[in-house]
mmCIF file of all heavy atoms in Angstrom:
data_model
loop_
_atom_site.group_PDB
_atom_site.id
_atom_site.type_symbol
_atom_site.label_atom_id
_atom_site.label_comp_id
_atom_site.label_asym_id
_atom_site.label_seq_id
_atom_site.Cartn_x
_atom_site.Cartn_y
_atom_site.Cartn_z
ATOM 1 N N GLN A 1 0.832 -1.213 0.000
ATOM 2 C CA GLN A 1 0.000 0.000 0.000
ATOM 3 C C GLN A 1 0.871 1.270 0.000
ATOM 4 O O GLN A 1 0.554 2.243 -0.671
ATOM 5 C CB GLN A 1 -0.913 0.001 1.226
ATOM 6 C CG GLN A 1 -2.071 -0.976 1.126
ATOM 7 C CD GLN A 1 -2.975 -0.892 2.352
ATOM 8 O OE1 GLN A 1 -2.498 -0.839 3.479
ATOM 9 N NE2 GLN A 1 -4.276 -0.881 2.122
ATOM 10 N N GLN A 2 1.961 1.220 0.762
ATOM 11 C CA GLN A 2 2.844 2.383 0.850
ATOM 12 C C GLN A 2 3.650 2.594 -0.424
ATOM 13 O O GLN A 2 4.070 3.712 -0.727
ATOM 14 C CB GLN A 2 3.797 2.228 2.042
ATOM 15 C CG GLN A 2 3.110 2.261 3.393
ATOM 16 C CD GLN A 2 3.998 1.734 4.508
ATOM 17 O OE1 GLN A 2 5.206 1.572 4.328
ATOM 18 N NE2 GLN A 2 3.399 1.464 5.661
ATOM 19 N N ASN A 3 3.882 1.493 -1.175
ATOM 20 C CA ASN A 3 4.674 1.563 -2.414
ATOM 21 C C ASN A 3 3.867 0.952 -3.555
ATOM 22 O O ASN A 3 4.078 -0.217 -3.909
ATOM 23 C CB ASN A 3 5.994 0.807 -2.246
ATOM 24 C CG ASN A 3 6.790 1.268 -1.040
ATOM 25 O OD1 ASN A 3 7.514 2.243 -1.082
ATOM 26 N ND2 ASN A 3 6.653 0.534 0.073
ATOM 27 N N PRO A 4 2.949 1.697 -4.136
ATOM 28 C CA PRO A 4 2.025 1.133 -5.144
ATOM 29 C C PRO A 4 2.710 0.496 -6.349
ATOM 30 O O PRO A 4 2.139 -0.405 -6.968
ATOM 31 C CB PRO A 4 1.202 2.356 -5.579
ATOM 32 C CG PRO A 4 1.328 3.322 -4.453
ATOM 33 C CD PRO A 4 2.687 3.117 -3.864
ATOM 34 N N ASP A 5 3.930 0.946 -6.681
ATOM 35 C CA ASP A 5 4.618 0.400 -7.864
ATOM 36 C C ASP A 5 5.654 -0.655 -7.511
ATOM 37 O O ASP A 5 6.482 -1.030 -8.351
ATOM 38 C CB ASP A 5 5.300 1.543 -8.637
ATOM 39 C CG ASP A 5 4.299 2.545 -9.184
ATOM 40 O OD1 ASP A 5 3.214 2.106 -9.605
ATOM 41 O OD2 ASP A 5 4.598 3.751 -9.169
ATOM 42 N N ILE A 6 5.637 -1.145 -6.277
ATOM 43 C CA ILE A 6 6.649 -2.104 -5.839
ATOM 44 C C ILE A 6 6.541 -3.394 -6.642
ATOM 45 O O ILE A 6 5.443 -3.821 -7.017
ATOM 46 C CB ILE A 6 6.492 -2.388 -4.317
ATOM 47 C CG1 ILE A 6 7.772 -2.995 -3.741
ATOM 48 C CG2 ILE A 6 5.302 -3.294 -4.030
ATOM 49 C CD1 ILE A 6 7.798 -3.028 -2.218
ATOM 50 N N ASN A 7 7.706 -4.034 -6.936
ATOM 51 C CA ASN A 7 7.675 -5.327 -7.629
ATOM 52 C C ASN A 7 8.142 -6.431 -6.676
ATOM 53 O O ASN A 7 8.536 -6.172 -5.533
ATOM 54 C CB ASN A 7 8.516 -5.308 -8.912
ATOM 55 C CG ASN A 7 9.998 -5.063 -8.667
ATOM 56 O OD1 ASN A 7 10.552 -5.453 -7.634
ATOM 57 N ND2 ASN A 7 10.657 -4.421 -9.616
ATOM 58 N N SER A 8 8.107 -7.659 -7.142
ATOM 59 C CA SER A 8 8.409 -8.814 -6.286
ATOM 60 C C SER A 8 9.821 -8.745 -5.721
ATOM 61 O O SER A 8 10.043 -9.020 -4.532
ATOM 62 C CB SER A 8 8.235 -10.108 -7.084
ATOM 63 O OG SER A 8 6.931 -10.209 -7.607
ATOM 64 N N ALA A 9 10.788 -8.394 -6.575
ATOM 65 C CA ALA A 9 12.185 -8.347 -6.133
ATOM 66 C C ALA A 9 12.380 -7.316 -5.030
ATOM 67 O O ALA A 9 13.098 -7.550 -4.053
ATOM 68 C CB ALA A 9 13.094 -8.024 -7.319
ATOM 69 N N GLN A 10 11.741 -6.154 -5.188
ATOM 70 C CA GLN A 10 11.852 -5.099 -4.170
ATOM 71 C C GLN A 10 11.202 -5.547 -2.859
ATOM 72 O O GLN A 10 11.733 -5.313 -1.777
ATOM 73 C CB GLN A 10 11.176 -3.824 -4.670
ATOM 74 C CG GLN A 10 11.876 -3.166 -5.856
ATOM 75 C CD GLN A 10 11.005 -2.104 -6.503
ATOM 76 O OE1 GLN A 10 9.803 -2.290 -6.650
ATOM 77 N NE2 GLN A 10 11.602 -0.994 -6.886
ATOM 78 N N LEU A 11 10.051 -6.191 -2.977
ATOM 79 C CA LEU A 11 9.315 -6.642 -1.799
ATOM 80 C C LEU A 11 10.156 -7.624 -0.981
ATOM 81 O O LEU A 11 10.266 -7.512 0.246
ATOM 82 C CB LEU A 11 8.008 -7.297 -2.249
ATOM 83 C CG LEU A 11 6.856 -7.421 -1.239
ATOM 84 C CD1 LEU A 11 6.566 -6.100 -0.554
ATOM 85 C CD2 LEU A 11 5.620 -7.955 -1.941
ATOM 86 N N LEU A 12 10.778 -8.581 -1.654
ATOM 87 C CA LEU A 12 11.609 -9.581 -0.969
ATOM 88 C C LEU A 12 12.842 -8.947 -0.334
ATOM 89 O O LEU A 12 13.296 -9.395 0.719
ATOM 90 C CB LEU A 12 12.039 -10.670 -1.953
ATOM 91 C CG LEU A 12 10.990 -11.728 -2.279
ATOM 92 C CD1 LEU A 12 11.466 -12.614 -3.414
ATOM 93 C CD2 LEU A 12 10.703 -12.587 -1.061
ATOM 94 N N GLU A 13 13.382 -7.922 -0.987
ATOM 95 C CA GLU A 13 14.607 -7.293 -0.489
ATOM 96 C C GLU A 13 14.404 -6.680 0.892
ATOM 97 O O GLU A 13 15.350 -6.596 1.682
ATOM 98 C CB GLU A 13 15.096 -6.237 -1.487
ATOM 99 C CG GLU A 13 16.503 -5.717 -1.213
ATOM 100 C CD GLU A 13 17.538 -6.817 -1.206
ATOM 101 O OE1 GLU A 13 17.490 -7.722 -2.062
ATOM 102 O OE2 GLU A 13 18.410 -6.780 -0.307
ATOM 103 N N TYR A 14 13.165 -6.266 1.214
ATOM 104 C CA TYR A 14 12.872 -5.701 2.533
ATOM 105 C C TYR A 14 13.111 -6.724 3.651
ATOM 106 O O TYR A 14 13.278 -6.360 4.810
ATOM 107 C CB TYR A 14 11.420 -5.223 2.596
ATOM 108 C CG TYR A 14 11.209 -3.825 2.086
ATOM 109 C CD1 TYR A 14 11.129 -3.561 0.721
ATOM 110 C CD2 TYR A 14 11.112 -2.741 2.961
ATOM 111 C CE1 TYR A 14 10.944 -2.274 0.232
ATOM 112 C CE2 TYR A 14 10.919 -1.448 2.496
ATOM 113 C CZ TYR A 14 10.837 -1.222 1.132
ATOM 114 O OH TYR A 14 10.661 0.062 0.662
ATOM 115 N N PHE A 15 13.094 -8.000 3.304
ATOM 116 C CA PHE A 15 13.190 -9.048 4.317
ATOM 117 C C PHE A 15 14.485 -9.846 4.232
ATOM 118 O O PHE A 15 14.574 -10.939 4.779
ATOM 119 C CB PHE A 15 11.983 -9.991 4.191
ATOM 120 C CG PHE A 15 10.659 -9.323 4.419
ATOM 121 C CD1 PHE A 15 9.980 -8.720 3.367
ATOM 122 C CD2 PHE A 15 10.103 -9.276 5.683
ATOM 123 C CE1 PHE A 15 8.764 -8.093 3.578
ATOM 124 C CE2 PHE A 15 8.877 -8.661 5.907
ATOM 125 C CZ PHE A 15 8.206 -8.051 4.854
ATOM 126 N N ARG A 16 15.501 -9.326 3.528
ATOM 127 C CA ARG A 16 16.781 -10.039 3.389
ATOM 128 C C ARG A 16 17.371 -10.342 4.775
ATOM 129 O O ARG A 16 17.357 -9.517 5.675
ATOM 130 C CB ARG A 16 17.765 -9.206 2.569
ATOM 131 C CG ARG A 16 19.129 -9.891 2.410
ATOM 132 C CD ARG A 16 20.082 -9.079 1.547
ATOM 133 N NE ARG A 16 19.664 -9.055 0.152
ATOM 134 C CZ ARG A 16 19.928 -10.018 -0.719
ATOM 135 N NH1 ARG A 16 20.587 -11.096 -0.330
ATOM 136 N NH2 ARG A 16 19.520 -9.902 -1.972
ATOM 137 N N ASP A 17 17.898 -11.555 4.909
ATOM 138 C CA ASP A 17 18.584 -11.990 6.135
ATOM 139 C C ASP A 17 17.677 -11.983 7.367
ATOM 140 O O ASP A 17 18.129 -11.760 8.489
ATOM 141 C CB ASP A 17 19.825 -11.132 6.414
ATOM 142 C CG ASP A 17 20.866 -11.251 5.316
ATOM 143 O OD1 ASP A 17 20.922 -12.311 4.676
ATOM 144 O OD2 ASP A 17 21.611 -10.279 5.099
ATOM 145 N N THR A 18 16.380 -12.210 7.169
ATOM 146 C CA THR A 18 15.465 -12.339 8.300
ATOM 147 C C THR A 18 14.765 -13.699 8.219
ATOM 148 O O THR A 18 14.749 -14.345 7.158
ATOM 149 C CB THR A 18 14.386 -11.240 8.291
ATOM 150 O OG1 THR A 18 13.550 -11.426 7.132
ATOM 151 C CG2 THR A 18 14.999 -9.855 8.265
ATOM 152 N N GLU A 19 14.176 -14.123 9.341
ATOM 153 C CA GLU A 19 13.441 -15.393 9.349
ATOM 154 C C GLU A 19 12.245 -15.325 8.402
ATOM 155 O O GLU A 19 11.942 -16.281 7.682
ATOM 156 C CB GLU A 19 12.971 -15.688 10.777
ATOM 157 C CG GLU A 19 12.362 -17.077 10.933
ATOM 158 C CD GLU A 19 11.950 -17.368 12.368
ATOM 159 O OE1 GLU A 19 12.494 -16.705 13.281
ATOM 160 O OE2 GLU A 19 11.087 -18.242 12.568
ATOM 161 N N GLN A 20 11.576 -14.141 8.395
ATOM 162 C CA GLN A 20 10.440 -13.974 7.473
ATOM 163 C C GLN A 20 10.901 -14.063 6.016
ATOM 164 O O GLN A 20 10.199 -14.600 5.159
ATOM 165 C CB GLN A 20 9.755 -12.626 7.696
ATOM 166 C CG GLN A 20 9.184 -12.450 9.093
ATOM 167 C CD GLN A 20 10.099 -11.613 9.961
ATOM 168 O OE1 GLN A 20 11.307 -11.839 9.979
ATOM 169 N NE2 GLN A 20 9.533 -10.647 10.666
ATOM 170 N N GLY A 21 12.109 -13.535 5.746
ATOM 171 C CA GLY A 21 12.648 -13.580 4.389
ATOM 172 C C GLY A 21 12.828 -15.007 3.896
ATOM 173 O O GLY A 21 12.556 -15.324 2.734
ATOM 174 N N THR A 22 13.284 -15.892 4.786
ATOM 175 C CA THR A 22 13.442 -17.311 4.425
ATOM 176 C C THR A 22 12.095 -17.914 4.051
ATOM 177 O O THR A 22 11.978 -18.649 3.061
ATOM 178 C CB THR A 22 14.057 -18.085 5.608
ATOM 179 O OG1 THR A 22 15.304 -17.477 5.968
ATOM 180 C CG2 THR A 22 14.295 -19.548 5.241
ATOM 181 N N GLN A 23 11.058 -17.601 4.840
ATOM 182 C CA GLN A 23 9.719 -18.121 4.555
ATOM 183 C C GLN A 23 9.184 -17.568 3.230
ATOM 184 O O GLN A 23 8.601 -18.306 2.419
ATOM 185 C CB GLN A 23 8.771 -17.745 5.689
ATOM 186 C CG GLN A 23 9.146 -18.348 7.039
ATOM 187 C CD GLN A 23 8.370 -17.733 8.190
ATOM 188 O OE1 GLN A 23 7.566 -16.839 7.992
ATOM 189 N NE2 GLN A 23 8.623 -18.214 9.398
ATOM 190 N N LEU A 24 9.406 -16.276 3.007
ATOM 191 C CA LEU A 24 8.902 -15.634 1.794
ATOM 192 C C LEU A 24 9.585 -16.184 0.546
ATOM 193 O O LEU A 24 8.948 -16.365 -0.495
ATOM 194 C CB LEU A 24 9.084 -14.119 1.879
ATOM 195 C CG LEU A 24 8.229 -13.402 2.933
ATOM 196 C CD1 LEU A 24 8.582 -11.923 2.996
ATOM 197 C CD2 LEU A 24 6.744 -13.572 2.632
ATOM 198 N N ASN A 25 10.879 -16.453 0.638
ATOM 199 C CA ASN A 25 11.590 -17.015 -0.509
ATOM 200 C C ASN A 25 11.044 -18.382 -0.891
ATOM 201 O O ASN A 25 10.934 -18.722 -2.067
ATOM 202 C CB ASN A 25 13.094 -17.107 -0.209
ATOM 203 C CG ASN A 25 13.819 -15.810 -0.485
ATOM 204 O OD1 ASN A 25 13.797 -15.304 -1.596
ATOM 205 N ND2 ASN A 25 14.447 -15.252 0.532
ATOM 206 N N LYS A 26 10.704 -19.180 0.119
ATOM 207 C CA LYS A 26 10.114 -20.498 -0.161
ATOM 208 C C LYS A 26 8.767 -20.345 -0.872
ATOM 209 O O LYS A 26 8.467 -21.069 -1.823
ATOM 210 C CB LYS A 26 9.925 -21.279 1.140
ATOM 211 C CG LYS A 26 11.223 -21.784 1.752
ATOM 212 C CD LYS A 26 10.949 -22.537 3.049
ATOM 213 C CE LYS A 26 12.243 -23.016 3.679
ATOM 214 N NZ LYS A 26 12.014 -23.692 4.985
ATOM 215 N N LEU A 27 7.961 -19.379 -0.379
ATOM 216 C CA LEU A 27 6.652 -19.162 -0.992
ATOM 217 C C LEU A 27 6.779 -18.574 -2.397
ATOM 218 O O LEU A 27 5.949 -18.835 -3.269
ATOM 219 C CB LEU A 27 5.801 -18.257 -0.104
ATOM 220 C CG LEU A 27 5.326 -18.896 1.210
ATOM 221 C CD1 LEU A 27 4.620 -17.871 2.085
ATOM 222 C CD2 LEU A 27 4.399 -20.078 0.925
ATOM 223 N N MET A 28 7.834 -17.788 -2.622
ATOM 224 C CA MET A 28 8.059 -17.216 -3.949
ATOM 225 C C MET A 28 8.361 -18.318 -4.976
ATOM 226 O O MET A 28 8.059 -18.190 -6.161
ATOM 227 C CB MET A 28 9.229 -16.221 -3.875
ATOM 228 C CG MET A 28 9.424 -15.420 -5.132
ATOM 229 S SD MET A 28 8.059 -14.275 -5.404
ATOM 230 C CE MET A 28 8.737 -13.303 -6.727
ATOM 231 N N CYS A 29 8.961 -19.395 -4.494
ATOM 232 C CA CYS A 29 9.316 -20.511 -5.388
ATOM 233 C C CYS A 29 8.223 -21.579 -5.458
ATOM 234 O O CYS A 29 8.374 -22.576 -6.156
ATOM 235 C CB CYS A 29 10.614 -21.165 -4.907
ATOM 236 S SG CYS A 29 12.007 -20.038 -4.746
ATOM 237 N N TRP A 30 7.153 -21.361 -4.741
ATOM 238 C CA TRP A 30 6.074 -22.348 -4.640
ATOM 239 C C TRP A 30 5.298 -22.439 -5.952
ATOM 240 O O TRP A 30 4.870 -21.438 -6.515
ATOM 241 C CB TRP A 30 5.165 -21.923 -3.489
ATOM 242 C CG TRP A 30 4.014 -22.838 -3.189
ATOM 243 C CD1 TRP A 30 3.905 -24.159 -3.494
ATOM 244 C CD2 TRP A 30 2.814 -22.477 -2.497
ATOM 245 N NE1 TRP A 30 2.717 -24.652 -3.036
ATOM 246 C CE2 TRP A 30 2.023 -23.646 -2.421
ATOM 247 C CE3 TRP A 30 2.335 -21.304 -1.939
ATOM 248 C CZ2 TRP A 30 0.777 -23.656 -1.803
ATOM 249 C CZ3 TRP A 30 1.098 -21.315 -1.319
ATOM 250 C CH2 TRP A 30 0.331 -22.482 -1.254
ATOM 251 N N GLN A 31 5.098 -23.668 -6.417
ATOM 252 C CA GLN A 31 4.299 -23.891 -7.630
ATOM 253 C C GLN A 31 2.833 -24.114 -7.221
ATOM 254 O O GLN A 31 2.401 -25.239 -7.014
ATOM 255 C CB GLN A 31 4.837 -25.101 -8.391
ATOM 256 C CG GLN A 31 6.215 -24.868 -9.004
ATOM 257 C CD GLN A 31 6.726 -26.119 -9.719
ATOM 258 O OE1 GLN A 31 7.208 -27.051 -9.113
ATOM 259 N NE2 GLN A 31 6.603 -26.123 -11.024
ATOM 260 N N HIS A 32 2.093 -23.018 -7.131
ATOM 261 C CA HIS A 32 0.698 -23.125 -6.678
ATOM 262 C C HIS A 32 -0.281 -23.221 -7.849
ATOM 263 O O HIS A 32 -1.480 -23.411 -7.649
ATOM 264 C CB HIS A 32 0.326 -21.924 -5.802
ATOM 265 C CG HIS A 32 0.735 -20.609 -6.397
ATOM 266 N ND1 HIS A 32 0.259 -20.147 -7.594
ATOM 267 C CD2 HIS A 32 1.624 -19.666 -5.957
ATOM 268 C CE1 HIS A 32 0.800 -18.970 -7.874
ATOM 269 N NE2 HIS A 32 1.630 -18.647 -6.902
ATOM 270 N N HIS A 33 0.211 -23.067 -9.062
ATOM 271 C CA HIS A 33 -0.585 -23.260 -10.287
ATOM 272 C C HIS A 33 -1.760 -22.292 -10.419
ATOM 273 O O HIS A 33 -2.782 -22.630 -11.029
ATOM 274 C CB HIS A 33 -1.088 -24.702 -10.384
ATOM 275 C CG HIS A 33 0.004 -25.725 -10.291
ATOM 276 N ND1 HIS A 33 0.996 -25.835 -11.248
ATOM 277 C CD2 HIS A 33 0.281 -26.649 -9.341
ATOM 278 C CE1 HIS A 33 1.834 -26.809 -10.901
ATOM 279 N NE2 HIS A 33 1.423 -27.317 -9.749
ATOM 280 N N VAL A 34 -1.650 -21.112 -9.838
ATOM 281 C CA VAL A 34 -2.671 -20.076 -10.026
ATOM 282 C C VAL A 34 -2.215 -19.163 -11.155
ATOM 283 O O VAL A 34 -1.148 -18.544 -11.064
ATOM 284 C CB VAL A 34 -2.892 -19.252 -8.734
ATOM 285 C CG1 VAL A 34 -3.907 -18.133 -8.994
ATOM 286 C CG2 VAL A 34 -3.362 -20.155 -7.601
ATOM 287 N N GLU A 35 -2.974 -19.090 -12.229
ATOM 288 C CA GLU A 35 -2.595 -18.255 -13.364
ATOM 289 C C GLU A 35 -2.677 -16.771 -12.991
ATOM 290 O O GLU A 35 -3.458 -16.375 -12.117
ATOM 291 C CB GLU A 35 -3.517 -18.533 -14.562
ATOM 292 C CG GLU A 35 -3.428 -19.958 -15.099
ATOM 293 C CD GLU A 35 -2.065 -20.278 -15.680
ATOM 294 O OE1 GLU A 35 -1.388 -19.343 -16.155
ATOM 295 O OE2 GLU A 35 -1.661 -21.459 -15.639
ATOM 296 N N ALA A 36 -1.899 -15.952 -13.692
ATOM 297 C CA ALA A 36 -1.805 -14.524 -13.367
ATOM 298 C C ALA A 36 -3.166 -13.830 -13.453
ATOM 299 O O ALA A 36 -3.498 -12.999 -12.608
ATOM 300 C CB ALA A 36 -0.801 -13.849 -14.302
ATOM 301 N N ASP A 37 -3.950 -14.186 -14.467
ATOM 302 C CA ASP A 37 -5.226 -13.483 -14.626
ATOM 303 C C ASP A 37 -6.267 -13.893 -13.567
ATOM 304 O O ASP A 37 -7.299 -13.244 -13.411
ATOM 305 C CB ASP A 37 -5.798 -13.698 -16.035
ATOM 306 C CG ASP A 37 -5.940 -15.167 -16.397
ATOM 307 O OD1 ASP A 37 -5.638 -16.021 -15.538
ATOM 308 O OD2 ASP A 37 -6.342 -15.469 -17.535
ATOM 309 N N ALA A 38 -5.986 -14.983 -12.836
ATOM 310 C CA ALA A 38 -6.897 -15.407 -11.773
ATOM 311 C C ALA A 38 -6.359 -15.047 -10.391
ATOM 312 O O ALA A 38 -7.013 -15.315 -9.370
ATOM 313 C CB ALA A 38 -7.126 -16.920 -11.848
ATOM 314 N N ALA A 39 -5.180 -14.427 -10.339
ATOM 315 C CA ALA A 39 -4.508 -14.181 -9.061
ATOM 316 C C ALA A 39 -5.346 -13.338 -8.110
ATOM 317 O O ALA A 39 -5.468 -13.644 -6.916
ATOM 318 C CB ALA A 39 -3.152 -13.515 -9.300
ATOM 319 N N GLU A 40 -5.958 -12.279 -8.638
ATOM 320 C CA GLU A 40 -6.716 -11.373 -7.766
ATOM 321 C C GLU A 40 -7.923 -12.089 -7.159
ATOM 322 O O GLU A 40 -8.192 -11.972 -5.960
ATOM 323 C CB GLU A 40 -7.162 -10.140 -8.556
ATOM 324 C CG GLU A 40 -7.871 -9.103 -7.705
ATOM 325 C CD GLU A 40 -8.206 -7.833 -8.491
ATOM 326 O OE1 GLU A 40 -7.273 -7.247 -9.073
ATOM 327 O OE2 GLU A 40 -9.395 -7.455 -8.522
ATOM 328 N N ASP A 41 -8.644 -12.846 -7.976
ATOM 329 C CA ASP A 41 -9.829 -13.547 -7.477
ATOM 330 C C ASP A 41 -9.458 -14.587 -6.422
ATOM 331 O O ASP A 41 -10.134 -14.702 -5.388
ATOM 332 C CB ASP A 41 -10.568 -14.235 -8.638
ATOM 333 C CG ASP A 41 -11.239 -13.228 -9.565
ATOM 334 O OD1 ASP A 41 -11.473 -12.086 -9.113
ATOM 335 O OD2 ASP A 41 -11.505 -13.575 -10.728
ATOM 336 N N VAL A 42 -8.387 -15.327 -6.681
ATOM 337 C CA VAL A 42 -7.967 -16.362 -5.722
ATOM 338 C C VAL A 42 -7.466 -15.716 -4.436
ATOM 339 O O VAL A 42 -7.695 -16.230 -3.336
ATOM 340 C CB VAL A 42 -6.875 -17.265 -6.342
ATOM 341 C CG1 VAL A 42 -6.369 -18.286 -5.327
ATOM 342 C CG2 VAL A 42 -7.417 -17.986 -7.575
ATOM 343 N N PHE A 43 -6.774 -14.571 -4.579
ATOM 344 C CA PHE A 43 -6.281 -13.831 -3.409
ATOM 345 C C PHE A 43 -7.457 -13.403 -2.530
ATOM 346 O O PHE A 43 -7.471 -13.631 -1.313
ATOM 347 C CB PHE A 43 -5.477 -12.619 -3.878
ATOM 348 C CG PHE A 43 -5.056 -11.683 -2.777
ATOM 349 C CD1 PHE A 43 -4.078 -12.057 -1.864
ATOM 350 C CD2 PHE A 43 -5.622 -10.422 -2.656
ATOM 351 C CE1 PHE A 43 -3.683 -11.201 -0.838
ATOM 352 C CE2 PHE A 43 -5.234 -9.555 -1.644
ATOM 353 C CZ PHE A 43 -4.257 -9.951 -0.737
ATOM 354 N N LEU A 44 -8.483 -12.802 -3.142
ATOM 355 C CA LEU A 44 -9.657 -12.349 -2.383
ATOM 356 C C LEU A 44 -10.411 -13.527 -1.781
ATOM 357 O O LEU A 44 -10.937 -13.446 -0.665
ATOM 358 C CB LEU A 44 -10.577 -11.535 -3.299
ATOM 359 C CG LEU A 44 -10.037 -10.167 -3.730
ATOM 360 C CD1 LEU A 44 -10.991 -9.504 -4.717
ATOM 361 C CD2 LEU A 44 -9.817 -9.260 -2.519
#
């Protein structure tokens, strides 16, 4: 919300070398099979 144009790489960089960062990196690599055009609906 604070950074409307933020991208994935920037978002992850905020958590470098933290326990949350380790969890986020795993989720970033997760194959959840949700297509990009359905991402918003599945998120909601």
Side-chain angles (χ1 to χ4, degrees):
Q1 286 182 315
Q2 293 164 13
N3 306 277
D5 297 323
I6 199 168
N7 63 32
S8 302
Q10 293 167 320
L11 201 50
L12 281 171
E13 192 58 42
Y14 274 80
F15 298 88
R16 179 178 291 277
D17 297 331
T18 65
E19 188 178 338
Q20 299 100 314
T22 303
Q23 297 168 359
L24 293 175
N25 276 302
K26 288 179 181 177
L27 290 174
M28 188 68 169
C29 304
W30 182 23
Q31 292 178 281
H32 47 61
H33 305 295
V34 177
E35 297 295 332
D37 55 2
E40 184 175 305
D41 290 339
V42 176
F43 173 71
L44 290 176

